[in-house]
């Protein structure tokens, strides 16, 4: 996994929708699951959301703690 992507998801904010303005890493799992079912947005945002989804799905949120400081 690219460490730059991990850093990005800890600062990048959701650009639209119900959680507009919330850091991607802080999005609730049910919202990420909805995107997973409906289809992730195209491009970089979709890749970032997929990464957050996989991290949360596998219980790896601890990977992000050092990057949030």
């Amino acid at each position: 996994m690219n460490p730059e992507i991990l850093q990005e998801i800890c600062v990048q904010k959701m650009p639209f929708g119900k959680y507009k303005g919330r850091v991607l890493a802080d999005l609730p799992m049910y919202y990420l699951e909805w995107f997973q079912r409906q289809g992730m947005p195209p491009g970089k945002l979709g890749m970032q959301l997929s990464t957050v989804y996989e991290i949360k799905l596998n219980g790896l949120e601890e990977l992000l703690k050092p990057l949030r400081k």
Side-chain angles (χ1 to χ4, degrees):
M1 186 170 290
N2 186 340
E4 291 176 12
I5 294 171
L6 295 178
Q7 288 180 320
E8 288 174 1
I9 63 175
C10 290
V11 294
Q12 179 74 31
K13 294 186 178 181
M14 189 66 185
F16 60 84
K18 181 177 182 177
Y19 292 99
K20 181 179 180 178
R22 186 177 289 193
V23 174
L24 297 179
D26 294 336
L27 293 172
M29 188 61 178
Y30 72 87
Y31 193 62
L32 297 167
E33 290 170 337
W34 180 85
F35 271 115
Q36 187 67 21
R37 286 190 307 272
Q38 300 298 315
M40 293 290 181
K44 189 172 185 176
L45 178 61
M47 183 268 308
Q48 291 169 326
L49 290 173
S50 292
T51 302
V52 175
Y53 173 76
E54 289 297 327
I55 287 170
K56 290 188 175 203
L57 181 67
N58 293 294
L60 300 172
E61 291 96 338
E62 291 293 318
L63 291 173
L64 304 178
K65 281 190 177 180
L67 302 173
R68 291 173 171 260
K69 295 179 181 179

